[in-house]
Amino acid sequence: MDMELPSPEQVAAILPKWRAEHPRLDAMLERYGEPVKALRHMGLLLWQQGDLGPATQMLAGAVSLSPAEAPLWSGLGGVLFAAGHRAEAASCIKSALSRDPTQATDWLMLGTIHSTEPDTSVAEEAFLNALQCDPNSPDAVISLGLLYTRTKRYAEAARCLKDAVAAGAESPAVHTCLAQTLFNLGDFPGAARSFGEAVRRQPDDPPLRQKFGQARFLETILDCTLEDGLAAYQEAAGGAPEDFDKLTRDSFHILSGYGHLEAAIRLGEALQARKPGDPIQAYLLAALKQKPMDRAPDEYVTTYFDKFAETFDQQLVEVLDYHGPEKLHALVASQGRPLARMLDLGCGTGLAGPLLKAPGRVLTGVDLSPRMLEKAAARQAYDHLIASEAIAYLAQQEHGFDLIFAADFLVYVGDLAPLLRHAARLLAPGGLLALTIETTTDGTYRLLPSGRFAHRPAYIEDLGRGSFGLLRQEPTMIRLEANRPVDGALMLFERV
Ligand SMILES: C[S@@+](CC[C@H](N)C(=O)[O-])C[C@H]1O[C@@H](n2cnc3c(N)ncnc32)[C@H](O)[C@@H]1O
């Protein structure tokens, strides 16, 4: 282990000093007659009082005098963890477990120490071992449930947290966590029930009540009207929604994302009746109703992304696990081609800019949304940023490019014939066309309830035939939607 233990001789030498400094240790030594027990009790007492330094020294002393005793290692591991020495703590707990692997609390501690690491397998195994040692340990089930929630394994999380509740776990945190997990699984009635339990135990928590309200709103609106949903919200949250637009907009996306299309249409129609001119609502409702469309209307794209620009990076990358620019850039870079003139279509906030830009390369970004372009400009990676509809921009260009790059942009364009035609005209021979798409297995392209288009890869290949050769095609997870991965592909074409 990394922490150095004192030798038994060193402990014996320092004991008189400790006795003088800690009269209670003196009394314990009198009572127990042997130092190991006294040091252990004194160490635990000091830990309880928050004196972590002396507590560590005494518990280390006890271990040094009797290293075969597992509980001494556990105590030392515990105080080291409390003092923030994770590696040393883990090593002590492992020493305890190697002497006695039947202690659930030690496995629990080991899991807790490892639970914040990116690789959660050690923590998971430790919590499972804890449960094997003590199948009724609510702490072990809760810890496992929280670990699964953090790693987005919601079905497993829900199972653990339900078990914990069934075994008598009472805390509002467990009910809240179960509620959020069920919500993430799209089980709104279950989420409403669990949020209700949490609110019953913790009534003076406005954000919790709002979540309860949203779950009740969604549960109600599955079968009833907007007004019924709002009444349910009000009763649960203890008042009308603070932000009606946010509640209803989020709920519309959630219903459509989880496949409750009828309820989403009903809510969408009620919202459109209240705000007939809203281009976002109009388009998403049209998408839900499967109205035939070639691409998303400019007004929708501009309004939607202008609103979204501020939180786009955080939302896409951190919440929705979106890494399109990195993945597509890696594919392009693998070709090792000279790319003097590059075009980033639908560049958005410019996540691809810093990856593509290099000395001697000219990078142009095109996007419809001025707010997204402002964010891209702040990255200082683009030589030119143009506010324009992308196909219209291509149509006006005469000078060529070596790379046309489109990450998560074709999801807003259904019919790709014009884009492929212009790309063939503008790319120099050997030039690259790099695309990410959401995939569908039938037809050519399909407008999804999310308002995004999915394409069949073979459709794009067919369009490019004669002008483009497919260099690479790789399946990829585009991002999460309703907490589930969205299937997609990276495609890299070469102008022949
Ligand atoms: C999901 S974002 C992707 C942004 C960026 N490529 C990335 O990977 O982070 C899609 C972007 O495409 C833009 N967009 C959608 N349709 C467009 C169109 N027809 N012309 C220009 N930009 C468009 C949107 O404004 C938005 O910024």
Side-chain angles (χ1 to χ4, degrees), residues 230-487:
L230 288 171
Y233 178 97
Q234 197 148 344
E235 195 191 335
E242 259 175 41
D243 186 340
F244 172 87
D245 276 350
K246 181 164 168 29
L247 171 71
T248 49
R249 192 178 56 236
D250 289 355
S251 300
F252 176 81
H253 286 298
I254 289 168
L255 288 171
S256 124
Y258 281 101
H260 298 293
L261 301 188
E262 269 179 38
I265 289 176
R266 221 168 338 100
L267 176 58
E269 283 174 342
L271 296 176
Q272 206 184 24
R274 287 180 172 226
K275 257 196 196 174
D278 181 343
I280 298 181
Q281 197 58 61
Y283 173 66
L284 292 177
L285 194 56
L288 271 176
K289 291 180 170 176
Q290 293 290 292
K291 293 261 162 71
M293 251 175 287
D294 292 343
R295 65 179 172 85
D298 295 358
E299 204 188 355
Y300 162 74
V301 172
T302 310
T303 318
Y304 180 78
F305 282 99
D306 273 358
K307 273 195 182 177
F308 195 10
E310 202 50 49
T311 55
F312 179 89
D313 290 357
Q314 192 257 338
Q315 178 72 8
L316 263 278
V317 179
E318 287 169 30
V319 182
L320 300 183
D321 210 5
Y322 170 65
H323 299 285
E326 294 98 308
K327 292 180 193 170
L328 195 58
H329 170 257
L331 210 62
V332 169
S334 72
Q335 301 299 309
R337 307 257 169 120
L339 301 169
R341 298 155 305 166
M342 302 177 296
L343 177 62
D344 184 4
L345 276 188
C347 64
T349 60
L351 288 172
L355 303 170
L356 291 170
K357 182 65 182 162
R361 291 180 175 184
V362 176
L363 176 60
T364 301
V366 176
D367 203 285
L368 262 171
S369 157
R371 296 283 93 79
M372 295 291 270
L373 285 170
E374 278 171 19
K375 296 280 169 194
R379 290 189 203 276
Q380 301 192 333
Y382 293 85
D383 299 281
H384 310 288
L385 282 168
I386 318 279
S388 166
E389 197 288 310
I391 315 295
Y393 171 83
L394 290 176
Q396 287 159 6
Q397 296 313 298
E398 283 163 11
H399 301 293
F401 295 99
D402 304 303
L403 169 69
I404 297 181
F405 187 93
D408 211 30
F409 158 66
L410 300 190
V411 290
Y412 296 101
V413 185
D415 177 5
L416 296 183
L419 187 142
L420 268 279
R421 214 174 37 248
H422 290 302
R425 183 173 60 77
L426 293 171
L427 279 169
L432 298 177
L433 175 63
L435 314 169
T436 74
I437 53 167
E438 281 188 21
T439 42
T440 176
T441 45
D442 46 43
T444 51
Y445 59 87
R446 212 155 67 83
L447 179 55
L448 305 172
S450 60
R452 295 157 64 91
F453 288 89
H455 297 88
R456 191 164 66 97
Y459 159 67
I460 307 178
E461 257 192 281
D462 287 346
L463 285 177
R465 212 169 298 285
S467 307
F468 288 103
L470 182 62
L471 292 176
R472 298 267 294 270
Q473 179 182 324
E474 287 180 8
T476 189
M477 193 282 284
I478 289 288
R479 69 196 167 98
L480 296 173
E481 185 169 306
N483 293 304
R484 288 184 296 259
V486 173
D487 288 336

